[in-house]
Amino acid sequence: MPTIGVKRDLLFKALGKTYSDDEFQVLCFKFGLELDEVTTEKQMIAKEQGSDHGVDASEEVIYKIDVPANRYDLLCLEGLSTGLLIFLNKIPTPRYKAIRPTAGMERITMSPECLKVREHIVAAILRNVTLTQESYNNFIDLQDKLHQNIGRKRSLVSIGTHDLDTVKGPFLYDARPPSEIRFKPLNQDKEYTGAEIMQLYATHAQLKQYLPIIKDSPVYPVIYDSNGVVLSLPPIINGDHSKITLDTKNIFIECTATDLTKAKIVVDTIVCAFSQYCKTKYTAEIVEVIYPTLQSDVSQTFYYPELKYRTEEVNSNKAISYIGIKQTPGQVAELLSKMSLKSKVKDKDMLMVEIPPTRHDVIHTCDIYEDIAIAYGYNEIEKIVPNISTIAAEFPLNKLTDHLRSELAQAGFTEALTFSLCSREDVADKLGHKIEDVPAVHISNPKTLEFQVARTTLLSGLLKTIAANKKMPLPHKLFEVSDVVLRDDTAEVGARNNRRLCAVYGNKSAGFEVIHGLIDRVLLLLEVPWSVNKDEDGYYLRAADDPMFFPQRCAEIVCYGKAIGKTGVLHPDVLAKFELNFPCSAMEIDIEPFL
């Protein structure tokens, strides 16, 4: 959950009432939020710097409030205060409008080159705005929150805001080689080329993390006005020429993106939050955006912001039965209206619920049910005993898992909990296998090379854990009992979980006898006898060949005629790839057959 910091006195002024800290905490809980901390700017800076010596900051009280990750409309004081005032029935739900200018609509034309780097752009204009220092700070802070949250650190959406009176339309959204781009970045005193800007901000505390988004691209996205003035180099920096000040009256907002839906949400969020400072409240001026079309000579024209309202039909009786409350349809409509979802009764039990452009988090009917429960009050829902007579019991597989964990710990092994996602190398190359032969479930858009697939074995996670703790004294004795994910075309979702037990022993010698003894102990606890004649009445070890293990030092664990896992001395190549310099033995078995 993102956390926002708002100044208490400004918030109370916007709400028209002063609360004690406890009273405001109760109000937050009723609205579905959490007051995380009461602090001051001085305390916050001192905490970051480790000392309050020499800190020059105010003692004004700041409320740090946890906001649900999908409630983008509450990420600033303006949106938060509006939502709370509606919840308290102090103001009606605002009606936001996207208006067309009577003449001279601003236009942005996108060049085909932009499709190679950031293929979408959305825009809007706030006319006749009056900003104070506080509202200006909130405006900048909201952009940063949206960049980090829905924009995924500007990789999906980046926002540029400009003083419209300092530039002249129509605008061009283009993509050019870095050497052809030249302008003065925000708060700089000279011009730089695109390549020089990358060098300039390579050590910048905030901006250096965004450089890799476009740094290796042959062309950089850039926005020009009709006079060739650069507005911004998204997603890195805006131009100094069009920067916003307290004297700015007309704000031009542009969002370049790789995800069009998120770009629309970002523009709607900014517009709805700060259109209250416009001369005509809750309005935004439409901008014409012309997209190139590669398949034909005809371009596509769109108009933003959309500020769309949509209507959902909800069955009141169904909603209250899910929640467990008793309310009339009219009362349910009033509860939804408190949550900015203006509602009215239709045909006895049916409700017509209007979803405003501030509530992009409402996707499904269940989201509406949740808002009914929040407005009613979770603490007000009566606790009842279910009408069904049942006896609770622990899930058998988890019960077996807990028993084995306890016994393995008593055997002198330390439990590890490793990541369920890993790289392709961890489950294939490092273990001597080809990724094509591993039944792995691949992540379609991994954010990092460390998390590309769901793990198919517990062994790689334990070896990485040992590698990270090489300084600890030998021997290393680790185990994990957890799930792996295997691709399975017969399963409904194309994959299935499989509960495994894995243990690794590392010392100056391989110590296979330790692992063998652990296998014997586990199967003794599971009441599986050793099969002297290697029949199906118990378990035995059968020679096997696996590139993970040293040649002729690998065996399958066969239980009741079925192989349930493997054990052996790990191959030196495997150990080297996990940066281990001492021998290890390991075992991994499937425990589900023992249920």
Side-chain angles (χ1 to χ4, degrees), residues 193-465:
T193 65
E196 290 171 342
I197 286 174
M198 291 296 167
Q199 295 177 357
L200 176 67
Y201 294 115
T203 57
H204 193 278
Q206 285 80 37
L207 296 181
K208 66 180 181 181
Q209 62 180 315
Y210 309 125
L211 302 184
I213 299 174
I214 62 168
K215 187 174 182 179
D216 296 329
S217 174
V219 290
Y220 290 176
V222 62
I223 299 174
Y224 295 94
D225 76 348
S226 60
N227 294 325
V229 174
V230 172
L231 277 68
S232 66
L233 178 73
I236 311 303
I237 192 76
N238 289 344
D240 189 72
H241 180 86
S242 59
K243 66 182 178 183
I244 293 177
T245 67
L246 293 179
D247 299 324
T248 298
K249 291 299 177 184
N250 301 301
I251 300 176
F252 178 64
I253 304 166
E254 44 85 5
C255 287
T256 58
T258 57
D259 188 311
L260 180 60
T261 300
K262 287 181 169 55
K264 292 179 183 178
I265 293 173
V266 165
V267 168
D268 283 355
T269 300
I270 296 175
V271 162
C272 291
F274 288 91
S275 58
Q276 60 181 279
Y277 297 123
C278 294
K279 185 176 181 180
T280 305
K281 277 190 168 187
Y282 309 123
T283 62
E285 185 177 309
I286 289 174
V287 176
E288 182 182 41
V289 178
I290 300 176
Y291 272 65
T293 303
L294 299 179
Q295 287 78 11
S296 66
D297 295 333
V298 180
S299 59
Q300 295 178 298
T301 302
F302 301 92
Y303 298 93
Y304 302 110
E306 295 179 341
L307 298 181
K308 282 185 178 179
Y309 284 80
R310 77 175 199 273
T311 303
E312 295 282 346
E313 280 196 15
V314 175
N315 187 299
S316 174
N317 289 338
K318 189 175 182 180
I320 61 175
S321 66
Y322 276 132
I323 300 168
I325 60 177
K326 294 180 180 179
Q327 294 280 283
T328 65
Q331 290 172 324
V332 174
E334 290 178 7
L335 293 174
L336 285 170
S337 296
K338 289 175 63 177
M339 300 301 293
S340 303
L341 302 178
K342 195 172 180 181
S343 306
K344 61 182 180 180
V345 181
K346 172 193 174 184
D347 299 333
K348 295 183 180 180
D349 298 331
M350 299 303 295
L351 299 178
M352 300 300 295
V353 183
E354 186 179 63
I355 316 298
T358 54
R359 295 300 308 274
H360 286 282
D361 60 296
V362 180
I363 300 172
H364 189 273
T365 310
C366 62
D367 298 314
I368 298 175
Y369 297 163
E370 181 186 18
D371 273 11
I372 296 171
I374 291 172
Y376 183 83
Y378 285 126
N379 287 342
E380 303 300 322
I381 299 175
E382 184 182 354
K383 295 179 181 179
I384 59 172
V385 177
N387 296 325
I388 302 171
S389 178
T390 60
I391 299 174
E394 189 176 3
F395 189 56
L397 184 56
N398 291 339
K399 188 175 182 179
L400 174 61
T401 298
D402 288 341
H403 282 315
L404 291 175
R405 290 171 60 229
S406 176
E407 292 294 337
L408 287 165
Q410 291 179 42
F413 280 71
T414 301
E415 183 175 16
L417 295 174
T418 60
F419 289 118
S420 297
L421 298 179
C422 61
S423 68
R424 295 188 181 96
E425 286 186 343
D426 289 341
V427 296
D429 297 347
K430 289 184 178 181
L431 298 178
H433 298 294
K434 294 181 179 180
I435 189 64
E436 297 81 7
D437 300 330
V438 178
V441 175
H442 295 255
I443 309 302
S444 61
N445 57 338
K447 301 301 179 187
T448 170
L449 294 177
E450 289 295 312
F451 302 120
Q452 297 174 309
V453 296
R455 64 183 176 188
T456 58
T457 176
L458 301 178
L459 180 60
S460 56
L462 291 183
L463 292 177
K464 290 171 74 175
T465 303

